[in-house]
Amino acid sequence: QTVVTQEPSLTVSPGGTVTLTCASNTGAVTSGYYPNWFQQKPGQAPRALIYSTSKKHSWTPARFSGSLLGGKAALTLSGVQPEDEADYYCLLYYGAAWVFGGGTKLTVL
Amino acid sequence: EVQVLEAGGGLVQPGGSLRLSCAASGFTFRSYAMSWVRQAPGKGLEWVSAISGNGGSTYYADSVKGRFTISRDNSKNTLYLQMNSLRAEDTAIYYCAKEPFTDFWGAMDVWGQGTTVTVSS
């Protein structure tokens, strides 16, 4: 059973920096897992932010960045804005199957 | 404008079947992989299935393998998800998503608003 683990919740102050992580129970996450990141606000469909570890979509704000950190995929928000309050999900590739993490609820307070 | 619009959700009894569709517009449908993602009430996202641009490659989550079938009609710009042997745990909002590549890598750059499937007696 493949399990992808994210922090259930994080709180950050406006203007601050926060890093969300994404771990796999199969071992260290590498670029071969093609980590993807999505943002979802209440009542809305998810929105893609990052693909293939660190690549941004054309609409992804510059304050969002993706990386690999300590055997995990990571999403860093620098200069957090109130509108960044949302649920964030990572998605990892496991050879013809993809698995979402449980999501991180980010509160901006 | 690039859009995908899901349809076909509804109430179905356990063991029943349902076919979801996703109409695409604003892009060359056959050039891009497509996928289905679901979200149970109050829960997180679950990847369900994906299909390559030409339909030659299909992928399924273990939870739906053998029960769900993904397909596409590139002449109609439409994606489908045939769901059989439905269970209560299949109750969810089902999202259709476009991939920015011919094969599926999970990037899913365009999402629909979802269609709700409820499995209950």
mmCIF file with all atom_site columns, all heavy atoms in Angstrom, chain B residues 75-88:
data_model
loop_
_atom_site.group_PDB
_atom_site.id
_atom_site.type_symbol
_atom_site.label_atom_id
_atom_site.label_alt_id
_atom_site.label_comp_id
_atom_site.label_asym_id
_atom_site.label_entity_id
_atom_site.label_seq_id
_atom_site.pdbx_PDB_ins_code
_atom_site.Cartn_x
_atom_site.Cartn_y
_atom_site.Cartn_z
_atom_site.occupancy
_atom_site.B_iso_or_equiv
_atom_site.pdbx_formal_charge
_atom_site.auth_seq_id
_atom_site.auth_comp_id
_atom_site.auth_asym_id
_atom_site.auth_atom_id
_atom_site.pdbx_PDB_model_num
ATOM 1   N N   . SER B 1 75 ? -12.767 12.210 -31.971 1.00 0.00 ? 75 SER B N   1
ATOM 2   C CA  . SER B 1 75 ? -13.590 12.849 -33.002 1.00 0.00 ? 75 SER B CA  1
ATOM 3   C C   . SER B 1 75 ? -14.688 13.707 -32.366 1.00 0.00 ? 75 SER B C   1
ATOM 4   O O   . SER B 1 75 ? -15.219 14.613 -33.004 1.00 0.00 ? 75 SER B O   1
ATOM 5   C CB  . SER B 1 75 ? -14.212 11.807 -33.921 1.00 0.00 ? 75 SER B CB  1
ATOM 6   O OG  . SER B 1 75 ? -15.182 11.031 -33.232 1.00 0.00 ? 75 SER B OG  1
ATOM 7   N N   . LYS B 1 76 ? -15.014 13.416 -31.109 1.00 0.00 ? 76 LYS B N   1
ATOM 8   C CA  . LYS B 1 76 ? -16.054 14.168 -30.394 1.00 0.00 ? 76 LYS B CA  1
ATOM 9   C C   . LYS B 1 76 ? -15.475 15.039 -29.281 1.00 0.00 ? 76 LYS B C   1
ATOM 10  O O   . LYS B 1 76 ? -16.219 15.657 -28.522 1.00 0.00 ? 76 LYS B O   1
ATOM 11  C CB  . LYS B 1 76 ? -17.091 13.210 -29.803 1.00 0.00 ? 76 LYS B CB  1
ATOM 12  C CG  . LYS B 1 76 ? -17.875 12.430 -30.844 1.00 0.00 ? 76 LYS B CG  1
ATOM 13  C CD  . LYS B 1 76 ? -18.914 11.542 -30.190 1.00 0.00 ? 76 LYS B CD  1
ATOM 14  C CE  . LYS B 1 76 ? -19.739 10.811 -31.244 1.00 0.00 ? 76 LYS B CE  1
ATOM 15  N NZ  . LYS B 1 76 ? -20.752 9.909  -30.631 1.00 0.00 ? 76 LYS B NZ  1
ATOM 16  N N   . ASN B 1 77 ? -14.152 15.057 -29.146 1.00 0.00 ? 77 ASN B N   1
ATOM 17  C CA  . ASN B 1 77 ? -13.497 15.840 -28.088 1.00 0.00 ? 77 ASN B CA  1
ATOM 18  C C   . ASN B 1 77 ? -14.076 15.511 -26.713 1.00 0.00 ? 77 ASN B C   1
ATOM 19  O O   . ASN B 1 77 ? -14.333 16.418 -25.887 1.00 0.00 ? 77 ASN B O   1
ATOM 20  C CB  . ASN B 1 77 ? -13.621 17.343 -28.356 1.00 0.00 ? 77 ASN B CB  1
ATOM 21  C CG  . ASN B 1 77 ? -12.818 17.787 -29.555 1.00 0.00 ? 77 ASN B CG  1
ATOM 22  O OD1 . ASN B 1 77 ? -11.979 17.058 -30.076 1.00 0.00 ? 77 ASN B OD1 1
ATOM 23  N ND2 . ASN B 1 77 ? -13.083 19.000 -30.014 1.00 0.00 ? 77 ASN B ND2 1
ATOM 24  N N   . THR B 1 78 ? -14.251 14.238 -26.458 1.00 0.00 ? 78 THR B N   1
ATOM 25  C CA  . THR B 1 78 ? -14.911 13.831 -25.224 1.00 0.00 ? 78 THR B CA  1
ATOM 26  C C   . THR B 1 78 ? -14.171 12.683 -24.552 1.00 0.00 ? 78 THR B C   1
ATOM 27  O O   . THR B 1 78 ? -13.733 11.733 -25.206 1.00 0.00 ? 78 THR B O   1
ATOM 28  C CB  . THR B 1 78 ? -16.368 13.414 -25.493 1.00 0.00 ? 78 THR B CB  1
ATOM 29  O OG1 . THR B 1 78 ? -17.061 14.502 -26.112 1.00 0.00 ? 78 THR B OG1 1
ATOM 30  C CG2 . THR B 1 78 ? -17.078 13.058 -24.193 1.00 0.00 ? 78 THR B CG2 1
ATOM 31  N N   . LEU B 1 79 ? -14.060 12.815 -23.237 1.00 0.00 ? 79 LEU B N   1
ATOM 32  C CA  . LEU B 1 79 ? -13.471 11.798 -22.369 1.00 0.00 ? 79 LEU B CA  1
ATOM 33  C C   . LEU B 1 79 ? -14.597 11.109 -21.616 1.00 0.00 ? 79 LEU B C   1
ATOM 34  O O   . LEU B 1 79 ? -15.597 11.749 -21.269 1.00 0.00 ? 79 LEU B O   1
ATOM 35  C CB  . LEU B 1 79 ? -12.520 12.475 -21.387 1.00 0.00 ? 79 LEU B CB  1
ATOM 36  C CG  . LEU B 1 79 ? -11.900 11.623 -20.266 1.00 0.00 ? 79 LEU B CG  1
ATOM 37  C CD1 . LEU B 1 79 ? -10.820 10.711 -20.850 1.00 0.00 ? 79 LEU B CD1 1
ATOM 38  C CD2 . LEU B 1 79 ? -11.322 12.528 -19.182 1.00 0.00 ? 79 LEU B CD2 1
ATOM 39  N N   . TYR B 1 80 ? -14.414 9.820  -21.336 1.00 0.00 ? 80 TYR B N   1
ATOM 40  C CA  . TYR B 1 80 ? -15.434 9.057  -20.621 1.00 0.00 ? 80 TYR B CA  1
ATOM 41  C C   . TYR B 1 80 ? -14.835 8.307  -19.441 1.00 0.00 ? 80 TYR B C   1
ATOM 42  O O   . TYR B 1 80 ? -13.648 7.979  -19.424 1.00 0.00 ? 80 TYR B O   1
ATOM 43  C CB  . TYR B 1 80 ? -16.110 8.044  -21.554 1.00 0.00 ? 80 TYR B CB  1
ATOM 44  C CG  . TYR B 1 80 ? -16.749 8.645  -22.766 1.00 0.00 ? 80 TYR B CG  1
ATOM 45  C CD1 . TYR B 1 80 ? -16.108 8.632  -24.003 1.00 0.00 ? 80 TYR B CD1 1
ATOM 46  C CD2 . TYR B 1 80 ? -18.009 9.235  -22.683 1.00 0.00 ? 80 TYR B CD2 1
ATOM 47  C CE1 . TYR B 1 80 ? -16.696 9.185  -25.127 1.00 0.00 ? 80 TYR B CE1 1
ATOM 48  C CE2 . TYR B 1 80 ? -18.606 9.797  -23.805 1.00 0.00 ? 80 TYR B CE2 1
ATOM 49  C CZ  . TYR B 1 80 ? -17.950 9.771  -25.017 1.00 0.00 ? 80 TYR B CZ  1
ATOM 50  O OH  . TYR B 1 80 ? -18.542 10.332 -26.123 1.00 0.00 ? 80 TYR B OH  1
ATOM 51  N N   . LEU B 1 81 ? -15.711 8.007  -18.487 1.00 0.00 ? 81 LEU B N   1
ATOM 52  C CA  . LEU B 1 81 ? -15.348 7.086  -17.409 1.00 0.00 ? 81 LEU B CA  1
ATOM 53  C C   . LEU B 1 81 ? -16.553 6.185  -17.171 1.00 0.00 ? 81 LEU B C   1
ATOM 54  O O   . LEU B 1 81 ? -17.587 6.642  -16.674 1.00 0.00 ? 81 LEU B O   1
ATOM 55  C CB  . LEU B 1 81 ? -14.973 7.820  -16.124 1.00 0.00 ? 81 LEU B CB  1
ATOM 56  C CG  . LEU B 1 81 ? -14.468 6.903  -15.007 1.00 0.00 ? 81 LEU B CG  1
ATOM 57  C CD1 . LEU B 1 81 ? -13.104 6.294  -15.387 1.00 0.00 ? 81 LEU B CD1 1
ATOM 58  C CD2 . LEU B 1 81 ? -14.342 7.668  -13.680 1.00 0.00 ? 81 LEU B CD2 1
ATOM 59  N N   . GLN B 1 82 ? -16.432 4.930  -17.576 1.00 0.00 ? 82 GLN B N   1
ATOM 60  C CA  . GLN B 1 82 ? -17.473 3.942  -17.328 1.00 0.00 ? 82 GLN B CA  1
ATOM 61  C C   . GLN B 1 82 ? -17.218 3.317  -15.966 1.00 0.00 ? 82 GLN B C   1
ATOM 62  O O   . GLN B 1 82 ? -16.149 2.751  -15.731 1.00 0.00 ? 82 GLN B O   1
ATOM 63  C CB  . GLN B 1 82 ? -17.463 2.863  -18.409 1.00 0.00 ? 82 GLN B CB  1
ATOM 64  C CG  . GLN B 1 82 ? -18.474 1.752  -18.190 1.00 0.00 ? 82 GLN B CG  1
ATOM 65  C CD  . GLN B 1 82 ? -19.905 2.237  -18.316 1.00 0.00 ? 82 GLN B CD  1
ATOM 66  O OE1 . GLN B 1 82 ? -20.236 3.000  -19.220 1.00 0.00 ? 82 GLN B OE1 1
ATOM 67  N NE2 . GLN B 1 82 ? -20.756 1.805  -17.400 1.00 0.00 ? 82 GLN B NE2 1
ATOM 68  N N   . MET B 1 83 ? -18.201 3.459  -15.088 1.00 0.00 ? 83 MET B N   1
ATOM 69  C CA  . MET B 1 83 ? -18.040 2.980  -13.713 1.00 0.00 ? 83 MET B CA  1
ATOM 70  C C   . MET B 1 83 ? -19.043 1.857  -13.458 1.00 0.00 ? 83 MET B C   1
ATOM 71  O O   . MET B 1 83 ? -20.261 2.079  -13.534 1.00 0.00 ? 83 MET B O   1
ATOM 72  C CB  . MET B 1 83 ? -18.265 4.129  -12.733 1.00 0.00 ? 83 MET B CB  1
ATOM 73  C CG  . MET B 1 83 ? -17.354 5.322  -12.990 1.00 0.00 ? 83 MET B CG  1
ATOM 74  S SD  . MET B 1 83 ? -17.503 6.606  -11.733 1.00 0.00 ? 83 MET B SD  1
ATOM 75  C CE  . MET B 1 83 ? -19.185 7.114  -11.975 1.00 0.00 ? 83 MET B CE  1
ATOM 76  N N   . ASN B 1 84 ? -18.549 0.668  -13.186 1.00 0.00 ? 84 ASN B N   1
ATOM 77  C CA  . ASN B 1 84 ? -19.386 -0.498 -12.904 1.00 0.00 ? 84 ASN B CA  1
ATOM 78  C C   . ASN B 1 84 ? -19.164 -0.965 -11.469 1.00 0.00 ? 84 ASN B C   1
ATOM 79  O O   . ASN B 1 84 ? -18.197 -0.579 -10.816 1.00 0.00 ? 84 ASN B O   1
ATOM 80  C CB  . ASN B 1 84 ? -19.052 -1.634 -13.868 1.00 0.00 ? 84 ASN B CB  1
ATOM 81  C CG  . ASN B 1 84 ? -19.315 -1.261 -15.321 1.00 0.00 ? 84 ASN B CG  1
ATOM 82  O OD1 . ASN B 1 84 ? -20.187 -0.438 -15.614 1.00 0.00 ? 84 ASN B OD1 1
ATOM 83  N ND2 . ASN B 1 84 ? -18.553 -1.856 -16.227 1.00 0.00 ? 84 ASN B ND2 1
ATOM 84  N N   . SER B 1 85 ? -20.065 -1.812 -11.016 1.00 0.00 ? 85 SER B N   1
ATOM 85  C CA  . SER B 1 85 ? -19.955 -2.391 -9.666  1.00 0.00 ? 85 SER B CA  1
ATOM 86  C C   . SER B 1 85 ? -19.680 -1.315 -8.622  1.00 0.00 ? 85 SER B C   1
ATOM 87  O O   . SER B 1 85 ? -18.775 -1.444 -7.788  1.00 0.00 ? 85 SER B O   1
ATOM 88  C CB  . SER B 1 85 ? -18.843 -3.446 -9.636  1.00 0.00 ? 85 SER B CB  1
ATOM 89  O OG  . SER B 1 85 ? -19.070 -4.454 -10.595 1.00 0.00 ? 85 SER B OG  1
ATOM 90  N N   . LEU B 1 86 ? -20.468 -0.268 -8.684  1.00 0.00 ? 86 LEU B N   1
ATOM 91  C CA  . LEU B 1 86 ? -20.223 0.878  -7.807  1.00 0.00 ? 86 LEU B CA  1
ATOM 92  C C   . LEU B 1 86 ? -20.468 0.540  -6.343  1.00 0.00 ? 86 LEU B C   1
ATOM 93  O O   . LEU B 1 86 ? -21.362 -0.254 -5.996  1.00 0.00 ? 86 LEU B O   1
ATOM 94  C CB  . LEU B 1 86 ? -21.076 2.062  -8.243  1.00 0.00 ? 86 LEU B CB  1
ATOM 95  C CG  . LEU B 1 86 ? -20.531 2.781  -9.481  1.00 0.00 ? 86 LEU B CG  1
ATOM 96  C CD1 . LEU B 1 86 ? -21.598 3.643  -10.142 1.00 0.00 ? 86 LEU B CD1 1
ATOM 97  C CD2 . LEU B 1 86 ? -19.322 3.631  -9.103  1.00 0.00 ? 86 LEU B CD2 1
ATOM 98  N N   . ARG B 1 87 ? -19.659 1.158  -5.509  1.00 0.00 ? 87 ARG B N   1
ATOM 99  C CA  . ARG B 1 87 ? -19.712 0.944  -4.057  1.00 0.00 ? 87 ARG B CA  1
ATOM 100 C C   . ARG B 1 87 ? -19.954 2.283  -3.362  1.00 0.00 ? 87 ARG B C   1
ATOM 101 O O   . ARG B 1 87 ? -19.709 3.348  -3.943  1.00 0.00 ? 87 ARG B O   1
ATOM 102 C CB  . ARG B 1 87 ? -18.383 0.370  -3.570  1.00 0.00 ? 87 ARG B CB  1
ATOM 103 C CG  . ARG B 1 87 ? -17.912 -0.878 -4.298  1.00 0.00 ? 87 ARG B CG  1
ATOM 104 C CD  . ARG B 1 87 ? -16.463 -1.150 -3.997  1.00 0.00 ? 87 ARG B CD  1
ATOM 105 N NE  . ARG B 1 87 ? -15.954 -2.350 -4.688  1.00 0.00 ? 87 ARG B NE  1
ATOM 106 C CZ  . ARG B 1 87 ? -14.674 -2.662 -4.804  1.00 0.00 ? 87 ARG B CZ  1
ATOM 107 N NH1 . ARG B 1 87 ? -13.747 -1.868 -4.271  1.00 0.00 ? 87 ARG B NH1 1
ATOM 108 N NH2 . ARG B 1 87 ? -14.313 -3.766 -5.434  1.00 0.00 ? 87 ARG B NH2 1
ATOM 109 N N   . ALA B 1 88 ? -20.364 2.221  -2.121  1.00 0.00 ? 88 ALA B N   1
ATOM 110 C CA  . ALA B 1 88 ? -20.601 3.452  -1.370  1.00 0.00 ? 88 ALA B CA  1
ATOM 111 C C   . ALA B 1 88 ? -19.337 4.321  -1.324  1.00 0.00 ? 88 ALA B C   1
ATOM 112 O O   . ALA B 1 88 ? -19.426 5.552  -1.380  1.00 0.00 ? 88 ALA B O   1
ATOM 113 C CB  . ALA B 1 88 ? -21.060 3.109  0.049   1.00 0.00 ? 88 ALA B CB  1
#
